[in-house]
Amino acid sequence: MAARSGRDTVNMADFEAAIDRVMAGPEKKNRVLGPEEKRRVAFHEAGHALVAENVPTGQPVHKISIIPRGVSALGFTLQLPVEEKYLSTEPELKDQLAILLGGRVAEQLALGSASTGAQNDLEKATEIARNMICYLGMSEKLGPLIYGHRQQLQFLSGDVTEQRNYSEETAQVVDAEIKALIEEAQQRAVVILTSKRPQLEQLAELLQDKEVVQREEIMALLQANV
Amino acid sequence: MAARSGRDTVNMADFEAAIDRVMAGPEKKNRVLGPEEKRRVAFHEAGHALVAENVPTGQPVHKISIIPRGVSALGFTLQLPVEEKYLSTEPELKDQLAILLGGRVAEQLALGSASTGAQNDLEKATEIARNMICYLGMSEKLGPLIYGHRQQLQFLSGDVTEQRNYSEETAQVVDAEIKALIEEAQQRAVVILTSKRPQLEQLAELLQDKEVVQREEIMALLQANV
Amino acid sequence: MAARSGRDTVNMADFEAAIDRVMAGPEKKNRVLGPEEKRRVAFHEAGHALVAENVPTGQPVHKISIIPRGVSALGFTLQLPVEEKYLSTEPELKDQLAILLGGRVAEQLALGSASTGAQNDLEKATEIARNMICYLGMSEKLGPLIYGHRQQLQFLSGDVTEQRNYSEETAQVVDAEIKALIEEAQQRAVVILTSKRPQLEQLAELLQDKEVVQREEIMALLQANV
Amino acid sequence: MAARSGRDTVNMADFEAAIDRVMAGPEKKNRVLGPEEKRRVAFHEAGHALVAENVPTGQPVHKISIIPRGVSALGFTLQLPVEEKYLSTEPELKDQLAILLGGRVAEQLALGSASTGAQNDLEKATEIARNMICYLGMSEKLGPLIYGHRQQLQFLSGDVTEQRNYSEETAQVVDAEIKALIEEAQQRAVVILTSKRPQLEQLAELLQDKEVVQREEIMALLQANV
Amino acid sequence: MAARSGRDTVNMADFEAAIDRVMAGPEKKNRVLGPEEKRRVAFHEAGHALVAENVPTGQPVHKISIIPRGVSALGFTLQLPVEEKYLSTEPELKDQLAILLGGRVAEQLALGSASTGAQNDLEKATEIARNMICYLGMSEKLGPLIYGHRQQLQFLSGDVTEQRNYSEETAQVVDAEIKALIEEAQQRAVVILTSKRPQLEQLAELLQDKEVVQREEIMALLQANV
Amino acid sequence: MAARSGRDTVNMADFEAAIDRVMAGPEKKNRVLGPEEKRRVAFHEAGHALVAENVPTGQPVHKISIIPRGVSALGFTLQLPVEEKYLSTEPELKDQLAILLGGRVAEQLALGSASTGAQNDLEKATEIARNMICYLGMSEKLGPLIYGHRQQLQFLSGDVTEQRNYSEETAQVVDAEIKALIEEAQQRAVVILTSKRPQLEQLAELLQDKEVVQREEIMALLQANV
C-alpha cells in the first residue's frame, strides 16, 4: 500500500497540532537533534526498514535518512515499488500495518519507551485498519458491508468527515476489530524486530553515524547478519 | 435493478477518497495493469457476470471489459435489460445484491483474498440493502415502516444526509437486518461461483487474453460448460 | 385525512432519490409500462381503492388511473370528500393508514412480493403514525405529550427537521408505538383485501384493460360482488 | 400563566406544519365548519372554559368563540386577568396545564375520541411542564437545578434551540417527570369535566347555537347548574 | 464569587425567553407589582440577604431593593466586597451557591411554593456547580480533571457552547455530583433561614414597607434579633 | 514537554471565560493581590517548582514570580531546558503532568483547599493526558491506536474540534485511562510535596517576601534543606 513511486513510510511529521499547542515553544527553521533524540529517530527508522524487509509483500527499502527536513519530518524510510499498483490486497494491507508500527516498536525495544514521534504512524495505521474493517469488508464478524458514511466537509478542502450510521452495539464490534488488526500488526513487528535485534542495533548505529543510508549498505548489513 | 439502458455493474472506481489519501502516490492518465492485477480484475468481472447469468431475474450480460477507463474504473460488466423498468421487486433487489457481491467472492475463491477493488460494489450493495430495510419495508422484523429521514444537504449538491430518527435498540435491529441481507447474497454468490468454478476460470482466462469479451463469446463459453 | 378536494392517495412517485441514484439509468419523458409492471400498478391502485371503500371513515373513490403522469407517478386513486374538513379524529387517521398500506398489501397478496412502488405510501403512513404518537398524544403509553421538537431548517425551504428531546428509553417506546399503529393498519388492509379478493382481481383486471376507471364502474363492480 | 391582557387559551391553530404537509389540499380563506366539526370545537372550547372556572387560580373566562379566525384558529376561550402578573407560582402553572388539557379531555368525554385540534394545546402544555421540570426546579427528584442549555439559533429569529447537557439516565427522569405533570393535569381535567358534565353539554350546546358566548351567559349557565 | 465591585445577587431577570414565549402578553415599561407579588419578591430578597450574612465567606449586604428596574429585574440584593478578589476557593464557591438558593428557599418557607422568579438564580447556581465539578476538579469522584470542552460559538457573541467529550457513564457521575452540590447548598439555606425565621419575616416586612433597605437598617434588624 | 525555550508552567491565566461570566465584575489593569491571595499564589508556584526539581526529567527552575502580569497571569514558574527538544517520551510526559498538578496540590496541603487558580493547569494536564491515551498509544488497555478525529473548526482560528469516532464502551475506557494518568500524577505530587514540606513553606515565604525568586536563591534553599 505504501508502494507506487516512493513515499515516506514514516515522516514523523505533524506532532499533531493539539500537542504542539500544549508544547508551545518556538519553531526553528534549521533543526539540530540532540544525541539522545538522534538515537531515538535512528532506531525508529531502522524499525520501519527492518519490518519492511521481513514481511511477505514489503517493497524493498531504497534509502533511510534521519536528517530533519522541512517543517516536521525528523527522518524517513523510502521504499521503492517494483511496479505500479492500483489495487491492494488484504495481506498487503496487513503488512503495511506492521511496517507502520515497526518504528514505535523499535523505540520500545531498544530504548524502553515510546515517544511522540510515532503519532503520525499511528494515525496512518488506524486509518488503514478502519478502512479494512469499515469500507473493505475485511472483518469476519462485520461481513462485506460498508459501515459509516463519508462526506467531504467543504468543497475543495479535502477534509473528510465520517458519519456513523450504525448502532452502539455495532460500534463496539468495529472498535474491537480495528484494535485487533493493529495489535496483531504490532505483535508481528515485535516478533520480527526481536528476532532481528542485532541488525536493528547495527542499522541504528549506521544511521547515527552516516545520517543517510542507501540500499546497498542496507543489503550488505542484512546479508552480513543472515 | 442494475438494469435499464446498460451501466457498469462494477466500475471498480473510487478507491474511496480516504484510502487514496493514505496511498498518496501520483495518478497516471494511461494506466497499465501489471499481470497480477489484471488477473484479479478478470476474476472480479467474471464473478459479476456469472452470478448475473445464474440468478432468476439477472439481465443478460452484454459485454465484459478489463481495459481501465477514465479516472478510476479498472473493468466493467455490462448488462442489457429486456425492457424499460420503473419498479423493482424484492426478489430483483436480492438478485442484484448477489451480482454485486459476485466480483469480490470470485477474487476470494480464485485468488484467496479480497482486495480494495470491491469497495465500490460493497457501497452499492450496502445502499440497496439499507433501502430495502429502511425505506421499502422489506424486513419482517421492522415492518412496513420508514426508518430514518433523508435530506439533501445542500441545494444542487445531490449529496444526501440521513438523519436517524429511531432508538438505539431499533438501530441494532436495522444493522442486523442489513447484514443478514448482504450475507445471504454473498452466500448465494459463493454457491453459484463454486458450482460454476470451471466457467469462472475459463471466463477469467478469456478476459486476460482478449480484455474485452462480447455476449456471443460469453454464451458460447456458458453453453460449452453446461 | 387524504380527503379535501381530492389528491393522489398513491402517486407511486419519488422512488426515493437515493434508490434512483443506485438505479442510475436514463429518465424518459413518455413512460410506457411493460405488462408485468402495469399489472403490479393495477393491483396496487385496486388495493388502495378497495380499502378506502371498506373502512368506516373512507371517502368515496372517484377515479382510479394507471396512466403514468408527470415525473414519477405511475398511477393514482382519487377520493372525493363529502365536505371540507379542518380536523381529523383518531379513527379517521387510523383508516387513512389502512388505505395507504392497501396498495402494498394488494401487491403482496396478488403477486407474492412487495416492490419499490410502495415507498411513497410507507413514507406518508410513517409520517401520519409518528404525528399521532409524538404530536397528537394518541398513544396510551406515552400520554398527551409532545415528543420531539420540529423546526424549519431554512427559511422558505419548507424542509422540517425534527430534534429529539427525549431519552433513549422513551425513544424505544416511540418506535414500538409507531410500529404497532402501522402493523395494525396493515393487518386491517390484509383482512379487507383477503375477504374482497374477487373484487380485487376484477378491479385490477378492469384497470389493466381500461387504464382509467370511474366511480360508476367501481360502484357497479362492488355491488355485483356483494 | 395564560393571564395578562387576554389571549387565546386555545387557538387551535397551527395543525403543525408537518401534518399540513401530509394533508396537502387547498387552504380556504373563509372557512365554514361542518356541523360535526363545529360540535367538536364547541366541546373543546367549553372544556377549556369549565376547567378554567374550576381550578383555584384560574382567571375568569370573558368570552368563548367558535368562529374560525385568520389562518388557523377554529375557536378560542378568552380569560381576563384581575391584575398584571410578573411571576407565576407552581400551583398557578399546574392549573394552567389542566386548563390546556381541558379541551382535549372534553372531546374525548363527549365525542369518544381526540382529534388533531388539540395539538397546539399539547405543545403549550409540554413546554410549560418542561420549563417547570428543567428550568424552574419544580421536580422533587431532579432538585433546584437547570437541566439543558437554551440558545437562540439565529439572531432575531426568536427560535430557541435546547442543548441537552445531562446524561441518558437523567434524561429518563426528565421524561418521566414531565409526563407525570401532564398526566396529573389531564386527570384533574377529567375529574372536573366529569363532575360538570351537564354544564359541559349545555355550554357546548350554547356555543353551537350562538357561536360567541359572553361572560354573563357563562355565569348564568354556571350558576343555574350549581 | 459574587464579590468584586458589587452586583445583583438576584436580579430576577430574564424569565427565560421560552417561558416568555408561552406567557406571551405585552411588556410594560413601568411595572407595578401587585401586593402578593411584592410580598413574594420581598421574601425572596430577604432570603438572599440573610443567607449571605450567615455563611462564613459571605460579603456584607449593602442594600436590598424591590423596586422593579429595567427590563426584567424585580428586585436585587447588593453585596460589597471588602477587597478586590482574583481567586475563589472551594468554600467560597459553596457559600455562593447557598446565597443563590436562599431566595427560592425563602419563598418556599414563607409562602409555601416556589415561583418563576428563581429561574435566574438556578441558572447561576447550576453554572457555578458545573464549573466546580467539570472545570475546577472539585469533585472527589471525578478527580482533578477537565470534563467537557468549551468554545465560543461565534466571534464576538460571547455565547459559549460546551462539547461533551466523555462517556455516558461519566456523564451520570457529573450529573450526580452537580446535583449533590446544589442540594447541599439548598439544605444549608434551609437550615439558616429556618433558624432565622423571625429575621426573615421582619426583613421582608421592612422591604414591603420601604422598598429599599440600606446596610444600617439591615444591621439594626440583625442585631435586634440575636 | 514544557521544555524548549522557556514558558510559563503555570500562568494561572484564563479563569475560563464561562467562570468570568458568572463572576462578572470589572477587570482592572493594575492588579494588586490581597495578602491572602498572594499567599495562595506563592504556595501554588512553589508547588510547581518543587515538583519540577524532584521528578527525573524535570528541567531546572530558572525563576519564579508572583507579580501579576498582563490580563490574567497571577504568577509563573519558568523552567529552562538544557537543549532543544523535538520529541517527548512517555516518562517525560508523566513528569510534566506531576509538575502541572503540583500547584494545586500545594494549595491543598498548605491552605486546606483548592481554588479557581488551578483551572489552567488542569486544562493543560487533561489535554496532555488525553493526547497520551488517544493520540500516542500510551495506554496498555487501548493499544497503539488513534481514538478520535481532530479537525480545525475554522480556517485560521486555530481552534480544534475533536470528533468521537468510537463506541460508548470504548469512551468509558478512555475516560478511566485519562483519569488514572492524572490521579497517578497528583499522587506523585502529593508524595513529593509532603516529603518536602519544609522547603515548600520556605519557598512560599520567600516568594511572598520578594515576589521574584531567581535560580541561585532556589538552589540555595533546596541545598540548605537536604
Side-chain angles (χ1 to χ4, degrees):
Chain A
M1 191 146 193
R4 284 220 191 159
S5 62
R7 61 163 190 81
D8 298 352
T9 302
V10 172
N11 61 11
M12 225 167 250
D14 313 328
F15 304 122
E16 253 284 302
I19 291 239
D20 272 326
R21 231 176 11 156
V22 172
M23 294 175 76
E27 203 157 47
K28 300 227 169 155
K29 281 281 158 64
N30 37 355
R31 301 182 171 200
V32 183
L33 294 183
E36 213 174 316
E37 293 196 342
K38 192 173 173 180
R39 193 166 173 237
R40 186 171 282 273
V41 176
F43 271 106
H44 188 110
E45 296 304 324
H48 283 308
L50 280 179
V51 176
E53 292 288 340
N54 287 283
V55 289
T57 74
Q59 303 289 330
V61 175
H62 186 70
K63 187 167 83 172
I64 316 174
S65 159
I66 60 166
I67 302 174
R69 311 179 312 162
V71 189
S72 58
L74 299 181
F76 64 88
T77 295
L78 182 66
Q79 290 176 271
L80 277 198
V82 178
E83 57 177 27
E84 294 269 350
K85 289 193 67 182
Y86 299 102
L87 295 171
S88 293
T89 66
E90 188 170 339
E92 286 165 1
L93 294 169
K94 284 187 169 180
D95 286 353
Q96 185 60 23
L97 291 180
I99 296 168
L100 282 166
L101 284 157
R104 189 177 193 267
V105 165
E107 287 187 61
Q108 287 177 308
L109 287 179
L111 306 171
S113 67
S115 75
T116 52
Q119 184 168 346
N120 199 248
D121 295 338
L122 300 188
E123 278 173 8
K124 284 177 185 165
T126 305
E127 195 167 358
I128 291 172
R130 182 174 296 277
N131 272 323
M132 292 173 71
I133 300 304
C134 293
Y135 294 93
L136 293 168
M138 292 176 181
S139 154
E140 277 289 301
K141 280 190 195 147
L142 290 163
L145 273 79
I146 300 296
Y147 290 92
H149 182 60
R150 275 177 179 152
Q151 279 175 313
Q152 287 217 311
L153 269 187
Q154 289 160 288
F155 188 56
L156 291 177
S157 82
D159 214 355
V160 167
T161 189
E162 205 165 338
Q163 205 184 341
R164 182 169 131 185
N165 58 1
Y166 43 85
S167 70
E168 177 59 28
E169 199 179 67
T170 300
Q172 288 178 22
V173 183
V174 167
D175 285 3
E177 290 289 273
I178 293 174
K179 187 164 176 260
L181 265 186
I182 301 260
E183 289 190 332
E184 180 201 314
Q186 176 174 254
Q187 197 45 39
R188 289 179 67 201
V190 167
V191 167
I192 289 169
L193 294 179
T194 304
S195 73
K196 305 285 176 185
R197 187 65 182 268
Q199 291 183 3
L200 179 67
E201 300 282 349
Q202 286 167 33
L203 186 50
E205 207 62 52
L206 195 64
L207 271 165
Q208 287 173 80
D209 216 45
K210 307 187 62 168
E211 294 197 331
V212 178
V213 176
Q214 303 291 343
R215 174 135 199 90
E216 307 83 62
E217 295 163 296
I218 300 168
M219 290 305 290
L221 188 148
L222 292 181
Q223 282 155 4
N225 279 281
V226 175
Chain B
M1 191 144 192
R4 283 221 191 159
S5 62
R7 62 164 189 80
D8 299 351
T9 302
V10 171
N11 60 10
M12 225 168 250
D14 313 329
F15 304 122
E16 253 286 299
I19 292 238
D20 272 326
R21 230 174 13 153
V22 173
M23 293 175 77
E27 204 157 47
K28 301 231 168 152
K29 282 280 158 65
N30 38 353
R31 302 182 171 201
V32 183
L33 294 182
E36 214 175 315
E37 294 196 343
K38 192 172 173 181
R39 192 166 173 239
R40 186 171 283 272
V41 177
F43 270 105
H44 187 109
E45 296 304 325
H48 284 308
L50 281 179
V51 176
E53 292 288 340
N54 286 284
V55 290
T57 73
Q59 303 290 329
V61 175
H62 186 69
K63 186 166 83 172
I64 315 173
S65 159
I66 61 167
I67 302 174
R69 310 180 312 161
V71 189
S72 59
L74 299 181
F76 63 88
T77 294
L78 182 67
Q79 289 177 272
L80 276 198
V82 178
E83 58 177 26
E84 295 270 349
K85 290 193 65 182
Y86 300 102
L87 295 171
S88 292
T89 66
E90 188 171 338
E92 285 165 0
L93 294 170
K94 285 187 170 179
D95 286 352
Q96 185 60 23
L97 292 180
I99 296 168
L100 282 166
L101 284 158
R104 189 177 193 268
V105 165
E107 288 187 61
Q108 288 177 307
L109 287 180
L111 306 170
S113 68
S115 75
T116 52
Q119 183 168 346
N120 199 248
D121 294 338
L122 300 188
E123 278 172 9
K124 284 178 186 164
T126 305
E127 195 167 359
I128 290 172
R130 182 174 297 276
N131 272 323
M132 292 173 71
I133 300 303
C134 293
Y135 294 93
L136 294 168
M138 292 175 182
S139 154
E140 277 289 301
K141 281 190 194 147
L142 290 163
L145 274 78
I146 300 296
Y147 291 92
H149 182 61
R150 275 177 179 152
Q151 279 176 314
Q152 286 218 311
L153 269 188
Q154 288 159 288
F155 188 57
L156 291 176
S157 82
D159 214 355
V160 167
T161 190
E162 205 165 338
Q163 206 185 340
R164 182 169 129 184
N165 58 2
Y166 42 86
S167 71
E168 176 60 28
E169 200 179 67
T170 300
Q172 287 178 21
V173 183
V174 167
D175 284 3
E177 291 289 272
I178 293 175
K179 187 164 177 259
L181 265 185
I182 301 260
E183 289 190 331
E184 181 200 314
Q186 176 174 254
Q187 197 46 39
R188 291 179 66 203
V190 167
V191 167
I192 289 170
L193 294 179
T194 304
S195 73
K196 305 285 175 184
R197 187 65 181 269
Q199 292 184 3
L200 180 67
E201 300 281 349
Q202 287 167 32
L203 186 50
E205 208 61 53
L206 196 64
L207 270 164
Q208 287 173 80
D209 216 46
K210 307 187 61 169
E211 294 197 331
V212 177
V213 177
Q214 302 291 342
R215 174 134 200 92
E216 307 82 60
E217 296 163 295
I218 300 167
M219 290 304 291
L221 188 148
L222 293 181
Q223 282 155 5
N225 278 281
V226 174
Chain C
M1 190 143 192
R4 283 222 193 156
S5 62
R7 63 167 189 77
D8 299 351
T9 303
V10 171
N11 59 11
M12 226 169 248
D14 313 328
F15 304 123
E16 254 286 300
I19 292 239
D20 272 326
R21 231 172 14 150
V22 173
M23 294 175 76
E27 205 158 46
K28 301 231 169 152
K29 282 280 159 65
N30 36 355
R31 303 181 170 201
V32 182
L33 294 182
E36 213 174 315
E37 293 195 343
K38 193 173 173 182
R39 192 166 174 239
R40 186 171 282 272
V41 176
F43 271 106
H44 188 110
E45 295 305 324
H48 284 308
L50 280 179
V51 177
E53 291 289 340
N54 286 284
V55 290
T57 73
Q59 303 291 329
V61 176
H62 185 70
K63 185 165 84 173
I64 316 173
S65 159
I66 61 166
I67 302 173
R69 312 180 310 163
V71 189
S72 58
L74 298 182
F76 64 89
T77 294
L78 181 66
Q79 290 177 271
L80 275 198
V82 177
E83 59 178 25
E84 294 270 348
K85 290 193 66 182
Y86 300 102
L87 295 171
S88 293
T89 65
E90 188 171 339
E92 286 165 0
L93 294 170
K94 285 186 169 179
D95 286 352
Q96 185 60 23
L97 292 180
I99 296 168
L100 282 166
L101 284 157
R104 189 176 193 268
V105 165
E107 288 187 61
Q108 288 177 308
L109 287 179
L111 306 170
S113 67
S115 75
T116 53
Q119 184 168 344
N120 199 247
D121 295 338
L122 300 188
E123 278 172 9
K124 284 178 184 163
T126 305
E127 195 168 358
I128 290 172
R130 182 174 297 277
N131 272 324
M132 292 173 72
I133 300 303
C134 293
Y135 294 93
L136 293 168
M138 291 175 181
S139 154
E140 277 289 301
K141 280 191 194 147
L142 290 163
L145 274 78
I146 300 296
Y147 291 91
H149 182 61
R150 275 177 179 153
Q151 279 175 313
Q152 287 218 311
L153 269 188
Q154 289 160 289
F155 188 58
L156 291 177
S157 82
D159 214 354
V160 167
T161 189
E162 205 165 337
Q163 206 185 341
R164 181 169 131 184
N165 58 3
Y166 42 86
S167 70
E168 177 60 28
E169 199 180 66
T170 300
Q172 287 178 22
V173 183
V174 167
D175 285 3
E177 291 288 273
I178 293 174
K179 186 163 178 260
L181 266 185
I182 301 260
E183 290 190 331
E184 181 201 314
Q186 176 174 253
Q187 198 45 39
R188 291 179 66 202
V190 167
V191 167
I192 289 169
L193 294 179
T194 304
S195 73
K196 305 285 176 186
R197 186 65 182 267
Q199 292 183 2
L200 179 67
E201 302 280 351
Q202 287 167 33
L203 187 50
E205 209 60 53
L206 195 64
L207 270 164
Q208 287 173 80
D209 216 46
K210 308 187 60 169
E211 294 197 333
V212 178
V213 176
Q214 302 292 341
R215 174 137 200 89
E216 307 82 62
E217 296 163 294
I218 300 167
M219 290 303 292
L221 187 149
L222 293 182
Q223 282 155 4
N225 278 280
V226 175
Chain D
M1 189 145 194
R4 284 222 192 155
S5 62
R7 61 167 190 78
D8 299 352
T9 303
V10 172
N11 60 10
M12 225 168 249
D14 313 328
F15 303 123
E16 254 285 300
I19 291 241
D20 272 326
R21 232 174 11 154
V22 173
M23 294 174 75
E27 204 159 46
K28 301 231 169 152
K29 281 280 157 68
N30 37 354
R31 304 182 170 200
V32 182
L33 294 183
E36 213 175 315
E37 293 195 343
K38 192 173 172 181
R39 191 165 174 240
R40 187 170 282 272
V41 176
F43 270 106
H44 187 110
E45 296 304 324
H48 284 308
L50 280 179
V51 177
E53 292 288 341
N54 286 285
V55 289
T57 73
Q59 304 291 330
V61 175
H62 186 71
K63 186 166 85 174
I64 315 173
S65 159
I66 60 166
I67 302 174
R69 313 178 307 161
V71 189
S72 57
L74 298 182
F76 64 88
T77 295
L78 182 66
Q79 290 177 270
L80 275 198
V82 178
E83 59 178 24
E84 294 270 350
K85 290 193 68 182
Y86 300 102
L87 296 170
S88 292
T89 66
E90 188 171 337
E92 287 165 359
L93 294 170
K94 285 186 171 180
D95 286 353
Q96 185 60 25
L97 292 180
I99 296 168
L100 281 167
L101 284 158
R104 189 176 193 270
V105 165
E107 288 187 62
Q108 288 176 308
L109 286 180
L111 306 170
S113 67
S115 75
T116 53
Q119 183 168 345
N120 199 247
D121 295 338
L122 300 188
E123 277 172 9
K124 284 178 184 164
T126 305
E127 194 167 359
I128 290 172
R130 183 174 296 276
N131 272 323
M132 292 173 72
I133 299 304
C134 292
Y135 295 92
L136 293 168
M138 291 175 181
S139 155
E140 276 289 302
K141 281 191 194 145
L142 290 164
L145 274 78
I146 300 297
Y147 290 92
H149 182 61
R150 275 177 179 153
Q151 280 175 313
Q152 287 218 310
L153 269 188
Q154 289 160 288
F155 187 57
L156 291 176
S157 82
D159 214 354
V160 167
T161 189
E162 206 165 338
Q163 205 186 341
R164 182 169 130 183
N165 58 3
Y166 42 86
S167 70
E168 177 59 27
E169 198 180 67
T170 300
Q172 287 178 21
V173 183
V174 167
D175 285 2
E177 290 288 272
I178 293 175
K179 185 163 178 260
L181 265 185
I182 301 261
E183 289 190 332
E184 180 201 313
Q186 176 174 253
Q187 198 45 41
R188 290 179 66 201
V190 167
V191 167
I192 289 170
L193 294 179
T194 304
S195 73
K196 305 284 176 186
R197 186 66 181 267
Q199 291 183 3
L200 179 67
E201 301 280 352
Q202 287 167 34
L203 187 49
E205 208 61 53
L206 196 62
L207 271 164
Q208 288 173 80
D209 216 45
K210 307 188 61 169
E211 293 198 332
V212 179
V213 177
Q214 302 291 341
R215 174 136 199 90
E216 307 83 61
E217 296 164 293
I218 300 168
M219 290 304 292
L221 187 148
L222 294 181
Q223 282 157 5
N225 279 282
V226 174
Chain E
M1 190 146 194
R4 285 222 190 156
S5 62
R7 61 167 191 78
D8 298 351
T9 302
V10 172
N11 59 10
M12 225 166 249
D14 315 327
F15 303 123
E16 254 285 300
I19 292 239
D20 272 324
R21 230 173 14 154
V22 173
M23 294 175 74
E27 204 158 46
K28 301 231 168 151
K29 279 283 157 64
N30 37 354
R31 302 183 170 200
V32 182
L33 294 182
E36 212 175 316
E37 292 196 342
K38 193 174 173 180
R39 191 166 174 239
R40 186 170 282 272
V41 176
F43 270 105
H44 187 111
E45 296 304 324
H48 284 307
L50 280 178
V51 176
E53 292 287 340
N54 286 285
V55 289
T57 73
Q59 303 290 331
V61 175
H62 186 71
K63 187 166 85 174
I64 315 173
S65 160
I66 60 166
I67 302 173
R69 315 177 308 163
V71 189
S72 57
L74 298 182
F76 64 88
T77 295
L78 182 66
Q79 290 177 272
L80 276 198
V82 178
E83 57 178 27
E84 294 270 349
K85 291 193 67 182
Y86 299 101
L87 295 171
S88 293
T89 66
E90 187 171 338
E92 286 166 359
L93 294 170
K94 285 186 170 180
D95 286 353
Q96 185 60 24
L97 291 180
I99 296 168
L100 282 167
L101 284 157
R104 189 177 194 270
V105 166
E107 287 186 62
Q108 288 177 307
L109 286 179
L111 306 171
S113 67
S115 76
T116 53
Q119 183 168 346
N120 199 248
D121 295 338
L122 300 187
E123 278 172 9
K124 284 177 185 164
T126 305
E127 194 167 359
I128 290 173
R130 183 174 295 277
N131 272 324
M132 293 173 71
I133 299 304
C134 292
Y135 294 93
L136 294 168
M138 291 175 181
S139 154
E140 278 289 301
K141 280 190 195 146
L142 290 164
L145 274 78
I146 300 296
Y147 290 91
H149 182 61
R150 276 177 179 151
Q151 281 175 313
Q152 287 218 310
L153 268 188
Q154 289 160 288
F155 188 56
L156 291 176
S157 83
D159 214 354
V160 167
T161 189
E162 206 166 338
Q163 205 185 342
R164 183 170 131 184
N165 58 1
Y166 42 87
S167 70
E168 178 58 29
E169 198 179 67
T170 300
Q172 287 178 21
V173 184
V174 166
D175 284 2
E177 291 287 273
I178 294 174
K179 185 163 177 260
L181 266 185
I182 301 260
E183 289 190 333
E184 181 201 313
Q186 177 174 254
Q187 198 45 40
R188 289 178 67 202
V190 168
V191 168
I192 290 170
L193 293 179
T194 305
S195 73
K196 305 284 175 185
R197 186 65 181 269
Q199 291 184 3
L200 180 67
E201 301 282 350
Q202 286 168 32
L203 187 49
E205 207 61 53
L206 196 64
L207 270 164
Q208 287 173 79
D209 215 46
K210 307 188 60 169
E211 294 198 331
V212 177
V213 177
Q214 302 291 342
R215 173 134 201 90
E216 306 83 60
E217 297 164 292
I218 299 167
M219 290 304 292
L221 187 148
L222 293 181
Q223 282 155 5
N225 278 283
V226 174
Chain F
M1 189 144 193
R4 283 222 192 156
S5 62
R7 62 166 189 80
D8 297 352
T9 303
V10 172
N11 61 11
M12 226 167 249
D14 314 328
F15 304 121
E16 253 285 300
I19 291 239
D20 272 325
R21 229 175 14 154
V22 172
M23 295 174 74
E27 204 157 46
K28 299 228 169 153
K29 280 281 157 64
N30 37 354
R31 301 181 171 200
V32 183
L33 295 182
E36 214 174 314
E37 292 195 343
K38 193 174 172 181
R39 192 166 173 236
R40 186 170 282 272
V41 177
F43 270 106
H44 187 111
E45 296 303 324
H48 284 308
L50 281 178
V51 176
E53 292 288 340
N54 286 284
V55 289
T57 74
Q59 303 290 330
V61 175
H62 186 70
K63 187 166 85 173
I64 316 174
S65 160
I66 60 165
I67 302 174
R69 311 178 313 161
V71 189
S72 58
L74 298 182
F76 64 87
T77 294
L78 181 66
Q79 290 176 271
L80 277 197
V82 177
E83 58 178 26
E84 294 269 348
K85 290 193 67 181
Y86 299 102
L87 295 170
S88 293
T89 66
E90 188 171 338
E92 286 166 0
L93 294 170
K94 285 187 169 180
D95 286 352
Q96 185 60 24
L97 291 181
I99 296 168
L100 281 167
L101 284 158
R104 189 177 193 269
V105 166
E107 288 186 61
Q108 288 177 307
L109 287 179
L111 306 171
S113 67
S115 76
T116 52
Q119 183 169 346
N120 199 248
D121 295 339
L122 300 188
E123 278 172 8
K124 284 177 185 165
T126 305
E127 194 167 359
I128 290 172
R130 182 173 296 276
N131 272 323
M132 292 173 71
I133 299 304
C134 293
Y135 295 93
L136 294 167
M138 292 175 182
S139 154
E140 277 289 301
K141 280 190 195 147
L142 290 163
L145 273 79
I146 300 296
Y147 290 92
H149 182 61
R150 275 178 179 150
Q151 280 175 313
Q152 288 218 311
L153 268 187
Q154 289 160 288
F155 189 56
L156 291 178
S157 82
D159 214 355
V160 167
T161 189
E162 205 167 337
Q163 206 185 341
R164 182 169 130 184
N165 58 1
Y166 42 86
S167 70
E168 177 59 28
E169 198 180 67
T170 300
Q172 287 178 21
V173 184
V174 167
D175 284 2
E177 290 289 272
I178 293 175
K179 186 163 177 260
L181 265 185
I182 302 260
E183 288 190 332
E184 179 201 314
Q186 176 174 253
Q187 198 45 39
R188 289 179 68 201
V190 167
V191 167
I192 289 170
L193 293 179
T194 304
S195 74
K196 306 284 175 186
R197 186 64 182 269
Q199 291 182 3
L200 180 66
E201 300 282 351
Q202 287 168 32
L203 187 49
E205 207 61 53
L206 196 63
L207 270 164
Q208 286 173 81
D209 216 45
K210 306 187 61 168
E211 295 198 330
V212 178
V213 176
Q214 302 292 342
R215 173 133 200 92
E216 306 83 60
E217 295 164 294
I218 299 168
M219 289 305 291
L221 189 148
L222 294 182
Q223 282 155 5
N225 278 282
V226 175

